[in-house]
Amino acid sequence: MRIGMVGLGRMGGNMTKRLIEHGHEVVAYDRNDDVVKAAESDGALPAHSLEEVVQQLSPPRAIWVMVPSGKPTDDTCNALAGMMQQGDVLIDGGNSNYKHAQQMSAAMRPMGVSFLDAGTSGGVWGLKNGYCLMVGGDEEGVKTVEPIFQALAPPDGYAHVGPSGAGHFVKMVHNGIEYGMLQAYAEGFAIMHAAEELDLDLHEIASIWRYGSVVRSWLLELTELALRDQQAFGSIKGYVEDSGEGRWTVEEAIARSVSAPVITTSLFERFSSRSPNSFAARIVAALRNEFGGHRVLQESEAAETAKAAAGEHSAGPEGAASANPE
């Protein structure tokens, strides 16, 4: 079938390629003409405006929006909805809040346009391996574009998970779980990295854990890949962004009175990564000095003291680290 793809970034561009490889026609549009030309060289039909996307599609039209969540998605979906008609299907495959999908679906229902929220996971590897798709929306709309979902997903990697909003809700929780898994791997490897006296080969450990270990996963395979080139890994700054889904997952946990300490802590750890000289940590250090006379380090002393502290902690309960507890 023929579908419009709006947004040809890291995900949308590769999804376009995968659809073409599976025999579908794609009308490709992005504000960047260079990536439109690249998609055309891969076999896509180029479009240079949203109007051109709609004009190159026959009813019932199907358009997949793959742009950043928030205002870019809102503006794009609203503009397209004004050009679509009864029986058409509009898909938001980005990481939008599930409430956005519910609102969009309600707004488009009187026009007869099906709005589907397709939680999409697979990242830059999706072109080769396929994308896990968690789709929310009405049954009729899903059936209209199901060949597209089946082409993008690997075998058994797609499901219509529920009504409008369900797709993005499931993807939100999926990403919240990812936060916790990433943090657990990060902390484990950090502990091993700190055991300098054992001279551990972290790349080798990541490699063997991929086979037979109960902690093996695709994320572990990516850890092994990241550690393979030590020079490249050493150049990475430990600053971790969050794209919103972790925050939303924590908000939903609070709203629904569900305990989610691991996901919550992993989110806060991302915030912590952005403040190497955290103001909050400076407050704690100052207060410990005020109430207990604990030593306050100057910035020049911090790195050397942190290294020494690792040795103190390895001394056990009788070591210097436990000699002056709070």
Side-chain angles (χ1 to χ4, degrees):
M1 65 180 294
R2 179 178 290 192
I3 185 172
M5 181 67 71
V6 176
L8 304 174
R10 287 175 295 178
M11 294 283 281
N14 279 346
M15 291 167 68
T16 295
K17 292 180 184 178
R18 186 172 173 90
L19 287 171
I20 293 171
E21 288 174 359
H22 283 72
H24 296 282
E25 294 183 330
V26 180
V27 178
Y29 168 70
D30 192 283
R31 291 186 301 176
N32 185 336
D33 282 340
D34 289 338
V35 295
V36 174
K37 291 177 182 177
E40 183 179 9
S41 68
D42 291 326
L45 303 170
H48 303 286
S49 67
L50 294 179
E51 289 81 2
E52 282 191 28
V53 174
V54 175
Q55 290 167 4
Q56 294 189 63
L57 299 171
S58 302
R61 302 176 184 86
I63 301 176
W64 191 303
V65 175
M66 207 68 185
V67 300
S69 62
K71 192 174 188 302
T73 294
D74 290 343
D75 291 348
T76 303
C77 290
N78 286 327
L80 286 169
M83 301 179 235
M84 299 176 81
Q85 63 188 43
Q86 186 169 349
D88 290 349
V89 180
L90 184 58
I91 308 162
D92 175 12
N95 287 325
S96 299
N97 192 291
Y98 77 98
K99 295 176 182 177
H100 165 269
Q102 294 174 329
Q103 293 164 357
M104 281 289 182
S105 178
M108 295 184 193
R109 194 171 297 120
M111 308 179 224
V113 175
S114 292
F115 184 88
L116 307 181
D117 47 296
T120 307
S121 179
V124 296
W125 297 83
L127 172 60
K128 176 182 177 182
N129 300 330
Y131 301 87
C132 179
L133 298 177
M134 304 143 260
V135 182
D138 65 272
E139 186 72 30
E140 184 177 354
V142 171
K143 289 298 182 186
T144 299
V145 296
E146 195 163 52
I148 295 298
F149 297 144
Q150 291 169 338
L152 288 171
D156 301 321
Y158 143 71
H160 180 198
V161 297
S164 177
H168 282 159
F169 187 89
V170 172
K171 179 59 173 11
M172 173 193 74
V173 176
H174 166 284
N175 283 21
I177 293 170
E178 176 193 307
Y179 275 45
M181 293 176 68
L182 288 173
Q183 188 63 30
Y185 280 125
E187 292 176 8
F189 278 90
I191 293 168
M192 291 188 288
H193 176 70
E196 295 180 358
E197 75 281 8
L198 298 179
D199 193 26
L200 300 173
D201 185 335
L202 300 188
H203 173 257
E204 180 182 52
I205 292 166
S207 181
I208 65 170
W209 278 2
R210 295 177 299 158
Y211 306 102
S213 166
V214 296
V215 298
R216 65 186 183 276
S217 72
W218 186 52
L219 290 177
L220 184 62
E221 293 177 9
L222 297 181
T223 302
E224 183 274 331
L225 185 62
L227 293 173
R228 190 180 298 174
D229 186 338
Q230 286 298 310
Q231 185 174 356
F233 179 75
S235 68
I236 296 174
K237 185 177 180 180
Y239 182 102
V240 187
E241 290 283 7
D242 71 287
S243 53
E245 303 92 319
R247 301 184 188 214
W248 299 336
T249 304
V250 171
E251 290 171 2
E252 289 296 324
I254 294 170
R256 301 170 189 273
S257 299
V258 175
S259 177
V262 172
I263 294 173
T264 303
T265 301
S266 65
L267 172 64
F268 288 171
E269 283 296 317
R270 293 196 177 196
F271 299 159
S272 178
S273 77
R274 303 165 202 175
S275 302
N277 188 18
S278 164
F279 182 81
R282 290 162 62 193
I283 290 288
V284 172
L287 291 177
R288 291 180 76 249
N289 174 258
E290 293 293 338
F291 73 69
H294 298 284
R295 182 186 176 198
V296 177
L297 299 180
Q298 301 304 312
E299 287 189 23
S300 59
E301 302 173 274
E304 190 62 33
T305 304
K307 183 176 180 180
E312 291 176 352
H313 281 289
S314 68
E318 299 304 320
S322 59
N324 189 23
E326 296 180 10

